[in-house]
């Protein structure tokens, strides 16, 4: 289940606040940083470049992709090991069909599908092929979404530079008009400013964020697949546990060791 990724939200909000604070330090009115033609050139111009580069279906998913960067699909690998160890024990004692009730209570669709195929008696090679294909397609979708944001992060500064050239041309074409010179110079600088903010505070960090989350989710799915196939093969629950522990980081291993020791202590006291 996805929850709010607070660090991403904090990064965007605090980053924007620091920019506003920096703009206000000079004692000038913030309205001097607002220029509608520059907004049109930078934001809408770069968005039009996306329309050329990507299909309509991809563009329709853009809002959802941006929202996903503010969510965290946190798969607790420690909890997963406990879950698979318990399922493995039950399967060895009561048979694979005994897992039917447990499967119906699972929230994760990937895990539910894999265990259901095990209960249905599907060959392990077939299960691996199907589940690995699901992981691949998931990564492909995530990568495509991240690439859209990365592309927008590349187009925004480029259109900022286009706005700068437009402003300079307007300024040079009216050297006798001081108002035109001032307006052209403002547009020349502000479009570059907008493009830099769009690329470096929003789109490029969001793209990297999505790629990292995709890698983490894929690792969690691979761990699930290993657990699913281990249960199907009927190996000792201890071996299932040791296999899955290999997916943990050193910090996660310490947490798991502490959790497991605490659980054994409670069991012994009981």
């Amino acid at each position: 289940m996805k929850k709010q990724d607070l660090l991403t939200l904090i990064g965007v909000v605090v980053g924007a606040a620091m920019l506003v604070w920096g703009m206000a330090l000079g004692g000038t009115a913030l309205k001097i940083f607002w220029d509608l033609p520059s907004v049109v050139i930078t934001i809408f111009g770069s968005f039009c470049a996306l329309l050329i580069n990507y299909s309509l279906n991809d563009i329709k998913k853009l809002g959802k992709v941006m929202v996903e960067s503010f969510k965290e699909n946190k798969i607790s690998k420690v909890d997963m090991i406990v879950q698979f160890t318990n399922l493995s024990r039950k399967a060895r004692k009561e048979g694979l069909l005994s897992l039917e009730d447990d499967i119906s209570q699972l929230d994760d669709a990937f895990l539910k599908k894999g265990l259901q195929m095990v209960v249905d008696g599907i060959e392990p090679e077939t299960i691996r092929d199907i589940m690995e294909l699901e992981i691949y397609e998931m990564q492909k979708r995530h990568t495509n979404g991240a690439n859209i944001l990365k592309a927008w992060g590349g187009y925004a500064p480029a259109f900022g530079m286009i706005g700068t050239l437009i402003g300079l041309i307007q300024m040079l074409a009216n050297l006798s008009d001081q108002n035109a010179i001032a307006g052209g110079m403002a547009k020349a600088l502000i479009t570059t400013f907008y493009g830099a903010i769009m690329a470096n505070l929003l789109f490029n960090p969001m793209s990297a964020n999505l790629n990292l989350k995709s890698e983490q989710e894929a690792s969690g799915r691979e761990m699930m697949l290993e657990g699913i196939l281990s249960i199907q093969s009927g190996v000792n629950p201890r071996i299932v546990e040791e296999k899955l522990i290999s997916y943990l980081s050193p910090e996660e291993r310490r947490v798991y060791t502490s959790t497991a020791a605490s659980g054994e202590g409670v069991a012994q006291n009981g």
Side-chain angles (χ1 to χ4, degrees), residues 19 38-48 50 66 149-160 190-207:
L19 284 173
S38 297
V39 170
V40 172
I41 292 169
T42 310
I43 298 179
F44 292 99
S46 58
F47 182 75
C48 288
L50 284 183
M66 295 180 70
L149 291 178
K150 186 177 181 179
W152 203 350
Y155 292 140
F159 274 86
I190 291 177
T191 49
T192 302
F193 176 66
Y194 288 165
I197 291 176
M198 290 171 62
N200 298 297
L201 181 61
L202 295 175
F203 301 135
N204 286 337
M206 283 182 180
S207 175

Side-chain angles (χ1 to χ4, degrees), residues 92-251:
R92 276 173 64 90
K93 285 182 180 180
E94 305 174 26
L96 293 175
L97 290 177
S98 66
L99 301 179
E100 286 277 12
D101 292 338
D102 298 274
I103 293 173
S104 63
Q105 298 174 7
L106 295 174
D107 295 325
D108 191 284
F110 182 88
L111 178 57
K112 183 181 290 189
K113 180 177 181 177
L115 288 175
Q116 189 61 57
M117 286 193 289
V118 168
V119 172
D120 292 341
I122 297 176
E123 292 295 321
E125 294 81 7
T126 304
I127 294 177
R128 181 178 291 277
D129 288 343
I130 293 173
M131 303 307 280
E132 285 182 345
L133 181 59
E134 287 223 0
I135 295 173
Y136 170 78
E137 289 298 326
M138 176 205 72
Q139 289 182 296
K140 186 177 175 182
R141 289 192 303 272
H142 292 178
T143 300
N144 188 50
N147 285 342
I148 294 175
L149 291 178
K150 186 177 181 179
W152 203 350
Y155 292 140
F159 274 86
M161 287 302 300
I162 291 173
T164 297
L165 294 175
I166 292 173
L168 290 174
I169 291 169
Q170 291 175 339
M171 182 181 67
L172 294 173
N174 297 280
L175 289 177
S176 59
D177 186 346
Q178 292 186 353
N179 291 330
I181 293 176
M185 181 59 73
K187 187 180 299 179
L189 296 176
I190 291 177
T191 49
T192 302
F193 176 66
Y194 288 165
I197 291 176
M198 290 171 62
N200 298 297
L201 181 61
L202 295 175
F203 301 135
N204 286 337
M206 283 182 180
S207 175
N209 178 300
L210 288 173
N211 280 325
L212 178 60
K213 287 175 180 174
S214 179
E215 291 175 6
Q216 292 172 340
E217 187 170 355
S219 176
R221 298 292 186 226
E222 290 167 1
M223 184 177 176
M224 286 183 187
L225 177 56
E226 189 63 45
I228 290 167
L229 295 177
S230 296
I231 288 175
Q232 185 182 44
S233 64
V235 300
N236 189 293
R238 181 62 181 169
I239 296 177
V240 175
E241 181 183 28
E242 290 299 328
K243 277 186 176 182
L244 299 184
I245 286 176
S246 64
Y247 286 89
L248 300 182
S249 66
E251 182 180 352

